Amino acid sequence: MIRELSRSIREYRKPAIATPILVSLEVVMECIIPFMIAELINQIKAGCELGTLLRYGGILVIMALLSLLFGALAGTTCAIASCGLAKNLRQDMFHSIQGYSFENIDKFLTSSLVTRLTTDVTNVQNAYMMIIRSAIRSPLMVVFAFTMAVLMGGRMAWVFVCVIPILVAGLALIVCRTVPLFKKVFIKYDNLNASVQENIKAMRVVKSFVREDYEQQKFDVAAQDVCADFTKAERILALNNPLMQFCLYVVMVFILSFGSYVIVTSLGLDLDVGQLSALLSYGFMMLSSLMMLSMIFVMITMALESGRRIAEILAEKSTLTNPQNPVREVPDGSISFEHVSFKYSLAAERMALAGIDLQIKSGETIGIVGGTGSSKSSLIQLISRLYDATEGVVRVGGVDVRDYDLDTLRNQVAVVLQKNVLFSGTIKENLRWGNKEATDEEMIEACRLACADEFITQFPDGYDTYIEQGGTNVSGGQKQRLCIARALLKRPKVLILDDSTSAVDTKTDAKIRKAMREYIPETTKIIIAQRTASVEDADRIIVMEGGRINAIGTHAELLQHNDIYREIYTSQNKAGEKDGE
């Protein structure tokens, strides 16, 4: 985990190294100051002159200023290093997630990824800041302060050593009890965020079914569960402070009592007031540093689970990678499936697709129909290599899709998925996802072909209309048409529409299909549809059932020879006739 996280330090290595050095100098200055104060007290007792006082005062002021300077510089470099690590961690995690295949993404909840990019990184950032500054400062302070205390107080200083086993045992017990709790808390925290995300995303459904009270109750239970575990962990961690305070005051009472006794009985020969003052100062510095170390342990305890979760994201490698010498050109839009079978994970009991053999010529229009769960979408996801076939070979342009450069393949296989997504930004910015160099004229032409221009021109800002996150300020049909226009701008070798016209009327659907035939005649077009009307004019229609190809033929051939297609067509047309009556 530490090795995985440390890779993200990179350009912030220098401030990370400079911080402990500056902290060490700060500690040296702070540890010498009590020694100089003790010497000053002894000089005053001996009846020194004003010049001696001024000399000692000047030295103390210079040392205090140097300590302040080193501390300020250490704070600056520490902030740069910790914030830089957080920035790099977020970048590295986001880049890793961007490179994931669908199979990798399926392993994590969306809410969990968001939590890891935000809360977990903040926890690691805070722990790292404590480690490179306070975790260096505190041990150094303990060592220097103890050394000086021995020099000033002799055997009396060894009382500090007696409390260390008590503190170590207490801290070990606290850490052992809290780490499992934090592990549970973060899992529940992910589930809480998932509940929030799901609720906000489905707000229209919640309000339509008047389920606000139910959702509030569900959230309250989840929040209370997280609160209870956090409270339990924090309650254990809170024992750290009274333990430190107890040790601190016990030591101080001992030094004051025994030190005063030694001064009185030896008449200042074995221990004088200056030495006692220094001993108290060093004792306070030492135990305060131990208290700071305990706080660092608390912070690290919280960050351990966060670090593990971040490292899990960074260590996850995409199941889809480029070959050593990838093919960087797609010759044409021909597609072939050769004995292809596929399942979403190795642990799955059954194949989503089984025994698929299919040949599609470049420029053909292919329709795909079938019942829910017949694996229509699974079939087309293998073409753009969103998943790899478990068995067999999928070829595009006569080349195994696994031999292509991923970007090259996906730039030539445009997919308008069933769940249409628009991003926050203007319509132009969304359209340029298809072609970032597209001119205004090309965008208008693509929108005209997708029947999107007719509603865009009605917006006051036209193509500069701002689309809200997720496209919430446009209708489902408008969103689908914008997504189709975006795909058309790519001018791909293969265009796949996964039920992408389900929210538009049949007249508009027909206009879009006609425009595609005329605008990209050489492009292979694959249309997955629930309505047979959307695929009637296709060159061939594939009927899927249970992850297998049940039949292939034209509309007329399937009506005559295939029961599944005939049943779908008849049920839809009967519904249409009833609506017409």
Side-chain angles (χ1 to χ4, degrees), residues 31-59:
C31 285
I32 296 176
I33 287 174
F35 176 80
M36 296 302 297
I37 292 173
E39 287 296 311
L40 178 58
I41 291 172
N42 291 334
Q43 290 290 335
I44 293 171
K45 277 180 62 182
C48 67
E49 297 178 353
L50 180 61
T52 304
L53 286 175
L54 291 174
R55 187 173 72 254
Y56 273 96
I59 293 172

PDB file of all heavy atoms in Angstrom, residues 31-59:
ATOM      1  N   CYS A  31      15.296  23.050  21.684  1.00  0.00           N
ATOM      2  CA  CYS A  31      15.902  22.297  22.784  1.00  0.00           C
ATOM      3  C   CYS A  31      17.056  23.062  23.436  1.00  0.00           C
ATOM      4  O   CYS A  31      17.376  22.824  24.608  1.00  0.00           O
ATOM      5  CB  CYS A  31      16.411  20.945  22.279  1.00  0.00           C
ATOM      6  SG  CYS A  31      15.077  19.764  21.985  1.00  0.00           S
ATOM      7  N   ILE A  32      17.710  23.925  22.692  1.00  0.00           N
ATOM      8  CA  ILE A  32      18.817  24.692  23.270  1.00  0.00           C
ATOM      9  C   ILE A  32      18.293  25.843  24.131  1.00  0.00           C
ATOM     10  O   ILE A  32      18.939  26.247  25.101  1.00  0.00           O
ATOM     11  CB  ILE A  32      19.754  25.212  22.149  1.00  0.00           C
ATOM     12  CG1 ILE A  32      20.410  24.023  21.434  1.00  0.00           C
ATOM     13  CG2 ILE A  32      20.827  26.141  22.705  1.00  0.00           C
ATOM     14  CD1 ILE A  32      21.274  24.408  20.255  1.00  0.00           C
ATOM     15  N   ILE A  33      17.095  26.360  23.786  1.00  0.00           N
ATOM     16  CA  ILE A  33      16.548  27.521  24.503  1.00  0.00           C
ATOM     17  C   ILE A  33      16.420  27.269  26.013  1.00  0.00           C
ATOM     18  O   ILE A  33      16.864  28.099  26.826  1.00  0.00           O
ATOM     19  CB  ILE A  33      15.206  27.955  23.880  1.00  0.00           C
ATOM     20  CG1 ILE A  33      15.461  28.644  22.533  1.00  0.00           C
ATOM     21  CG2 ILE A  33      14.436  28.896  24.807  1.00  0.00           C
ATOM     22  CD1 ILE A  33      14.207  28.981  21.745  1.00  0.00           C
ATOM     23  N   PRO A  34      15.817  26.145  26.490  1.00  0.00           N
ATOM     24  CA  PRO A  34      15.745  25.920  27.952  1.00  0.00           C
ATOM     25  C   PRO A  34      17.126  25.853  28.616  1.00  0.00           C
ATOM     26  O   PRO A  34      17.287  26.290  29.758  1.00  0.00           O
ATOM     27  CB  PRO A  34      15.007  24.576  28.069  1.00  0.00           C
ATOM     28  CG  PRO A  34      14.224  24.468  26.811  1.00  0.00           C
ATOM     29  CD  PRO A  34      15.084  25.091  25.765  1.00  0.00           C
ATOM     30  N   PHE A  35      18.105  25.290  27.876  1.00  0.00           N
ATOM     31  CA  PHE A  35      19.467  25.236  28.413  1.00  0.00           C
ATOM     32  C   PHE A  35      20.017  26.637  28.634  1.00  0.00           C
ATOM     33  O   PHE A  35      20.623  26.936  29.673  1.00  0.00           O
ATOM     34  CB  PHE A  35      20.360  24.443  27.457  1.00  0.00           C
ATOM     35  CG  PHE A  35      21.801  24.402  27.860  1.00  0.00           C
ATOM     36  CD1 PHE A  35      22.229  23.526  28.841  1.00  0.00           C
ATOM     37  CD2 PHE A  35      22.739  25.256  27.266  1.00  0.00           C
ATOM     38  CE1 PHE A  35      23.563  23.488  29.230  1.00  0.00           C
ATOM     39  CE2 PHE A  35      24.058  25.223  27.653  1.00  0.00           C
ATOM     40  CZ  PHE A  35      24.484  24.334  28.632  1.00  0.00           C
ATOM     41  N   MET A  36      19.776  27.510  27.638  1.00  0.00           N
ATOM     42  CA  MET A  36      20.251  28.890  27.761  1.00  0.00           C
ATOM     43  C   MET A  36      19.498  29.619  28.877  1.00  0.00           C
ATOM     44  O   MET A  36      20.085  30.439  29.595  1.00  0.00           O
ATOM     45  CB  MET A  36      20.054  29.619  26.429  1.00  0.00           C
ATOM     46  CG  MET A  36      20.864  29.057  25.272  1.00  0.00           C
ATOM     47  SD  MET A  36      22.653  29.046  25.598  1.00  0.00           S
ATOM     48  CE  MET A  36      22.975  30.807  25.775  1.00  0.00           C
ATOM     49  N   ILE A  37      18.215  29.336  29.035  1.00  0.00           N
ATOM     50  CA  ILE A  37      17.434  29.955  30.124  1.00  0.00           C
ATOM     51  C   ILE A  37      17.977  29.510  31.482  1.00  0.00           C
ATOM     52  O   ILE A  37      18.094  30.318  32.428  1.00  0.00           O
ATOM     53  CB  ILE A  37      15.939  29.601  29.992  1.00  0.00           C
ATOM     54  CG1 ILE A  37      15.347  30.288  28.747  1.00  0.00           C
ATOM     55  CG2 ILE A  37      15.169  30.022  31.237  1.00  0.00           C
ATOM     56  CD1 ILE A  37      13.939  29.887  28.432  1.00  0.00           C
ATOM     57  N   ALA A  38      18.315  28.212  31.616  1.00  0.00           N
ATOM     58  CA  ALA A  38      18.889  27.704  32.862  1.00  0.00           C
ATOM     59  C   ALA A  38      20.208  28.412  33.175  1.00  0.00           C
ATOM     60  O   ALA A  38      20.481  28.783  34.340  1.00  0.00           O
ATOM     61  CB  ALA A  38      19.101  26.196  32.767  1.00  0.00           C
ATOM     62  N   GLU A  39      21.044  28.585  32.146  1.00  0.00           N
ATOM     63  CA  GLU A  39      22.303  29.297  32.335  1.00  0.00           C
ATOM     64  C   GLU A  39      22.059  30.740  32.765  1.00  0.00           C
ATOM     65  O   GLU A  39      22.756  31.285  33.626  1.00  0.00           O
ATOM     66  CB  GLU A  39      23.109  29.278  31.029  1.00  0.00           C
ATOM     67  CG  GLU A  39      23.732  27.942  30.688  1.00  0.00           C
ATOM     68  CD  GLU A  39      24.784  27.528  31.717  1.00  0.00           C
ATOM     69  OE1 GLU A  39      25.653  28.351  32.054  1.00  0.00           O
ATOM     70  OE2 GLU A  39      24.693  26.387  32.219  1.00  0.00           O
ATOM     71  N   LEU A  40      21.040  31.370  32.155  1.00  0.00           N
ATOM     72  CA  LEU A  40      20.701  32.752  32.509  1.00  0.00           C
ATOM     73  C   LEU A  40      20.257  32.855  33.974  1.00  0.00           C
ATOM     74  O   LEU A  40      20.658  33.786  34.697  1.00  0.00           O
ATOM     75  CB  LEU A  40      19.595  33.269  31.576  1.00  0.00           C
ATOM     76  CG  LEU A  40      19.082  34.690  31.842  1.00  0.00           C
ATOM     77  CD1 LEU A  40      20.220  35.717  31.754  1.00  0.00           C
ATOM     78  CD2 LEU A  40      17.970  35.053  30.854  1.00  0.00           C
ATOM     79  N   ILE A  41      19.435  31.875  34.419  1.00  0.00           N
ATOM     80  CA  ILE A  41      18.972  31.870  35.815  1.00  0.00           C
ATOM     81  C   ILE A  41      20.165  31.752  36.764  1.00  0.00           C
ATOM     82  O   ILE A  41      20.254  32.457  37.790  1.00  0.00           O
ATOM     83  CB  ILE A  41      17.970  30.729  36.049  1.00  0.00           C
ATOM     84  CG1 ILE A  41      16.663  31.021  35.306  1.00  0.00           C
ATOM     85  CG2 ILE A  41      17.688  30.547  37.538  1.00  0.00           C
ATOM     86  CD1 ILE A  41      15.686  29.869  35.321  1.00  0.00           C
ATOM     87  N   ASN A  42      21.112  30.885  36.426  1.00  0.00           N
ATOM     88  CA  ASN A  42      22.299  30.712  37.267  1.00  0.00           C
ATOM     89  C   ASN A  42      23.157  31.973  37.296  1.00  0.00           C
ATOM     90  O   ASN A  42      23.740  32.334  38.329  1.00  0.00           O
ATOM     91  CB  ASN A  42      23.132  29.527  36.772  1.00  0.00           C
ATOM     92  CG  ASN A  42      22.431  28.191  37.020  1.00  0.00           C
ATOM     93  OD1 ASN A  42      21.604  28.078  37.934  1.00  0.00           O
ATOM     94  ND2 ASN A  42      22.749  27.183  36.216  1.00  0.00           N
ATOM     95  N   GLN A  43      23.241  32.660  36.134  1.00  0.00           N
ATOM     96  CA  GLN A  43      23.993  33.908  36.067  1.00  0.00           C
ATOM     97  C   GLN A  43      23.335  34.975  36.936  1.00  0.00           C
ATOM     98  O   GLN A  43      24.013  35.748  37.617  1.00  0.00           O
ATOM     99  CB  GLN A  43      24.076  34.399  34.609  1.00  0.00           C
ATOM    100  CG  GLN A  43      24.959  33.563  33.707  1.00  0.00           C
ATOM    101  CD  GLN A  43      26.433  33.700  34.047  1.00  0.00           C
ATOM    102  OE1 GLN A  43      26.876  34.703  34.617  1.00  0.00           O
ATOM    103  NE2 GLN A  43      27.208  32.662  33.725  1.00  0.00           N
ATOM    104  N   ILE A  44      22.004  35.028  36.905  1.00  0.00           N
ATOM    105  CA  ILE A  44      21.276  36.004  37.722  1.00  0.00           C
ATOM    106  C   ILE A  44      21.513  35.714  39.198  1.00  0.00           C
ATOM    107  O   ILE A  44      21.721  36.626  40.013  1.00  0.00           O
ATOM    108  CB  ILE A  44      19.772  35.978  37.381  1.00  0.00           C
ATOM    109  CG1 ILE A  44      19.544  36.495  35.960  1.00  0.00           C
ATOM    110  CG2 ILE A  44      18.972  36.824  38.370  1.00  0.00           C
ATOM    111  CD1 ILE A  44      18.131  36.314  35.446  1.00  0.00           C
ATOM    112  N   LYS A  45      21.477  34.415  39.583  1.00  0.00           N
ATOM    113  CA  LYS A  45      21.730  34.037  40.977  1.00  0.00           C
ATOM    114  C   LYS A  45      23.134  34.457  41.413  1.00  0.00           C
ATOM    115  O   LYS A  45      23.362  34.832  42.571  1.00  0.00           O
ATOM    116  CB  LYS A  45      21.600  32.516  41.136  1.00  0.00           C
ATOM    117  CG  LYS A  45      20.169  32.019  41.312  1.00  0.00           C
ATOM    118  CD  LYS A  45      20.145  30.514  41.451  1.00  0.00           C
ATOM    119  CE  LYS A  45      20.922  30.075  42.682  1.00  0.00           C
ATOM    120  NZ  LYS A  45      20.967  28.612  42.821  1.00  0.00           N
ATOM    121  N   ALA A  46      24.076  34.383  40.473  1.00  0.00           N
ATOM    122  CA  ALA A  46      25.459  34.734  40.798  1.00  0.00           C
ATOM    123  C   ALA A  46      25.689  36.240  40.800  1.00  0.00           C
ATOM    124  O   ALA A  46      26.804  36.693  41.082  1.00  0.00           O
ATOM    125  CB  ALA A  46      26.403  34.058  39.811  1.00  0.00           C
ATOM    126  N   GLY A  47      24.645  37.024  40.469  1.00  0.00           N
ATOM    127  CA  GLY A  47      24.759  38.483  40.495  1.00  0.00           C
ATOM    128  C   GLY A  47      25.462  39.048  39.271  1.00  0.00           C
ATOM    129  O   GLY A  47      26.380  39.871  39.393  1.00  0.00           O
ATOM    130  N   CYS A  48      25.054  38.605  38.078  1.00  0.00           N
ATOM    131  CA  CYS A  48      25.690  39.051  36.828  1.00  0.00           C
ATOM    132  C   CYS A  48      25.384  40.511  36.527  1.00  0.00           C
ATOM    133  O   CYS A  48      24.439  41.095  37.058  1.00  0.00           O
ATOM    134  CB  CYS A  48      25.269  38.162  35.667  1.00  0.00           C
ATOM    135  SG  CYS A  48      23.519  38.338  35.269  1.00  0.00           S
ATOM    136  N   GLU A  49      26.161  41.069  35.596  1.00  0.00           N
ATOM    137  CA  GLU A  49      25.973  42.462  35.199  1.00  0.00           C
ATOM    138  C   GLU A  49      24.920  42.546  34.095  1.00  0.00           C
ATOM    139  O   GLU A  49      24.537  41.536  33.484  1.00  0.00           O
ATOM    140  CB  GLU A  49      27.302  43.039  34.714  1.00  0.00           C
ATOM    141  CG  GLU A  49      28.365  43.086  35.796  1.00  0.00           C
ATOM    142  CD  GLU A  49      29.695  43.625  35.272  1.00  0.00           C
ATOM    143  OE1 GLU A  49      29.798  43.830  34.033  1.00  0.00           O
ATOM    144  OE2 GLU A  49      30.613  43.825  36.085  1.00  0.00           O
ATOM    145  N   LEU A  50      24.507  43.814  33.772  1.00  0.00           N
ATOM    146  CA  LEU A  50      23.488  44.045  32.736  1.00  0.00           C
ATOM    147  C   LEU A  50      23.951  43.553  31.369  1.00  0.00           C
ATOM    148  O   LEU A  50      23.166  43.021  30.581  1.00  0.00           O
ATOM    149  CB  LEU A  50      23.149  45.540  32.677  1.00  0.00           C
ATOM    150  CG  LEU A  50      22.099  45.955  31.647  1.00  0.00           C
ATOM    151  CD1 LEU A  50      20.761  45.278  31.939  1.00  0.00           C
ATOM    152  CD2 LEU A  50      21.933  47.481  31.629  1.00  0.00           C
ATOM    153  N   GLY A  51      25.228  43.695  31.088  1.00  0.00           N
ATOM    154  CA  GLY A  51      25.759  43.262  29.791  1.00  0.00           C
ATOM    155  C   GLY A  51      25.568  41.775  29.570  1.00  0.00           C
ATOM    156  O   GLY A  51      25.250  41.312  28.470  1.00  0.00           O
ATOM    157  N   THR A  52      25.754  41.007  30.652  1.00  0.00           N
ATOM    158  CA  THR A  52      25.555  39.548  30.558  1.00  0.00           C
ATOM    159  C   THR A  52      24.094  39.221  30.280  1.00  0.00           C
ATOM    160  O   THR A  52      23.782  38.350  29.448  1.00  0.00           O
ATOM    161  CB  THR A  52      25.992  38.871  31.869  1.00  0.00           C
ATOM    162  OG1 THR A  52      27.342  39.211  32.152  1.00  0.00           O
ATOM    163  CG2 THR A  52      25.846  37.362  31.775  1.00  0.00           C
ATOM    164  N   LEU A  53      23.195  39.931  30.962  1.00  0.00           N
ATOM    165  CA  LEU A  53      21.761  39.725  30.724  1.00  0.00           C
ATOM    166  C   LEU A  53      21.386  40.029  29.282  1.00  0.00           C
ATOM    167  O   LEU A  53      20.637  39.285  28.642  1.00  0.00           O
ATOM    168  CB  LEU A  53      20.937  40.612  31.667  1.00  0.00           C
ATOM    169  CG  LEU A  53      20.868  40.207  33.142  1.00  0.00           C
ATOM    170  CD1 LEU A  53      20.112  41.267  33.944  1.00  0.00           C
ATOM    171  CD2 LEU A  53      20.173  38.859  33.290  1.00  0.00           C
ATOM    172  N   LEU A  54      21.928  41.158  28.774  1.00  0.00           N
ATOM    173  CA  LEU A  54      21.601  41.549  27.394  1.00  0.00           C
ATOM    174  C   LEU A  54      22.157  40.529  26.394  1.00  0.00           C
ATOM    175  O   LEU A  54      21.518  40.223  25.380  1.00  0.00           O
ATOM    176  CB  LEU A  54      22.172  42.941  27.091  1.00  0.00           C
ATOM    177  CG  LEU A  54      21.506  44.106  27.842  1.00  0.00           C
ATOM    178  CD1 LEU A  54      22.239  45.405  27.567  1.00  0.00           C
ATOM    179  CD2 LEU A  54      20.037  44.233  27.434  1.00  0.00           C
ATOM    180  N   ARG A  55      23.368  40.000  26.686  1.00  0.00           N
ATOM    181  CA  ARG A  55      23.964  39.019  25.775  1.00  0.00           C
ATOM    182  C   ARG A  55      23.119  37.745  25.716  1.00  0.00           C
ATOM    183  O   ARG A  55      22.811  37.237  24.637  1.00  0.00           O
ATOM    184  CB  ARG A  55      25.387  38.685  26.229  1.00  0.00           C
ATOM    185  CG  ARG A  55      26.121  37.784  25.217  1.00  0.00           C
ATOM    186  CD  ARG A  55      27.582  37.577  25.568  1.00  0.00           C
ATOM    187  NE  ARG A  55      27.747  36.710  26.725  1.00  0.00           N
ATOM    188  CZ  ARG A  55      28.105  37.132  27.930  1.00  0.00           C
ATOM    189  NH1 ARG A  55      28.320  38.424  28.146  1.00  0.00           N
ATOM    190  NH2 ARG A  55      28.249  36.280  28.941  1.00  0.00           N
ATOM    191  N   TYR A  56      22.746  37.257  26.895  1.00  0.00           N
ATOM    192  CA  TYR A  56      21.896  36.053  26.939  1.00  0.00           C
ATOM    193  C   TYR A  56      20.524  36.322  26.305  1.00  0.00           C
ATOM    194  O   TYR A  56      19.976  35.472  25.595  1.00  0.00           O
ATOM    195  CB  TYR A  56      21.721  35.577  28.384  1.00  0.00           C
ATOM    196  CG  TYR A  56      22.811  34.649  28.847  1.00  0.00           C
ATOM    197  CD1 TYR A  56      23.905  35.146  29.557  1.00  0.00           C
ATOM    198  CD2 TYR A  56      22.751  33.297  28.577  1.00  0.00           C
ATOM    199  CE1 TYR A  56      24.915  34.303  29.996  1.00  0.00           C
ATOM    200  CE2 TYR A  56      23.758  32.441  29.013  1.00  0.00           C
ATOM    201  CZ  TYR A  56      24.841  32.948  29.719  1.00  0.00           C
ATOM    202  OH  TYR A  56      25.841  32.098  30.138  1.00  0.00           O
ATOM    203  N   GLY A  57      19.977  37.519  26.579  1.00  0.00           N
ATOM    204  CA  GLY A  57      18.685  37.884  25.988  1.00  0.00           C
ATOM    205  C   GLY A  57      18.751  37.933  24.472  1.00  0.00           C
ATOM    206  O   GLY A  57      17.829  37.455  23.778  1.00  0.00           O
ATOM    207  N   GLY A  58      19.825  38.501  23.943  1.00  0.00           N
ATOM    208  CA  GLY A  58      19.991  38.561  22.476  1.00  0.00           C
ATOM    209  C   GLY A  58      20.092  37.178  21.851  1.00  0.00           C
ATOM    210  O   GLY A  58      19.495  36.904  20.805  1.00  0.00           O
ATOM    211  N   ILE A  59      20.870  36.288  22.543  1.00  0.00           N
ATOM    212  CA  ILE A  59      21.003  34.909  22.030  1.00  0.00           C
ATOM    213  C   ILE A  59      19.647  34.207  22.014  1.00  0.00           C
ATOM    214  O   ILE A  59      19.296  33.522  21.042  1.00  0.00           O
ATOM    215  CB  ILE A  59      22.012  34.127  22.889  1.00  0.00           C
ATOM    216  CG1 ILE A  59      23.422  34.693  22.715  1.00  0.00           C
ATOM    217  CG2 ILE A  59      21.979  32.637  22.532  1.00  0.00           C
ATOM    218  CD1 ILE A  59      24.451  34.117  23.674  1.00  0.00           C
TER     219      ILE A  59
END
